[in-house]
Amino acid sequence: MTSATPSHTPTTAAFYVQAVLSFGLSLTAVGIGVVFLPVDGWVRAFLGIAMLYTVTSAFTLAKVLRDRQEDTYITSRVDRARLDKLLTDHDPFKIDAP
């Protein structure tokens, strides 16, 4: 019997560093753009808060998606383990005695 276990590839250190640097660079660039924007202070403050809200909601969305994926993976592993146990316990040639 073949089992279709999903291959879990761990995140490499280079990918992690690239993601962190990319996030930091983009956040810094937008922050500098908001600071040097030729508008009133209230508009600048509104854009800064909007930027922070976007970042926190992006983190929340990423966490929710990750949690849902992990939950689905764990549920499928439990279901697969139950099915494997049923298949190994089943003997098609066993005759039930009356």
Side-chain angles (χ1 to χ4, degrees), residues 71-84:
D71 185 46
T72 303
Y73 176 68
I74 289 171
T75 302
S76 68
R77 283 190 59 196
V78 168
D79 290 342
R80 190 172 332 136
R82 287 180 185 157
L83 179 63
D84 287 345

Side-chain angles (χ1 to χ4, degrees), residues 13-43:
F15 181 75
Y16 180 75
V17 168
Q18 178 185 0
V20 169
L21 288 176
S22 175
F23 174 75
L25 181 65
S26 66
L27 191 62
T28 303
V30 172
I32 289 172
V34 167
V35 167
F36 289 111
L37 197 64
V39 293
D40 192 27
W42 287 103
V43 175

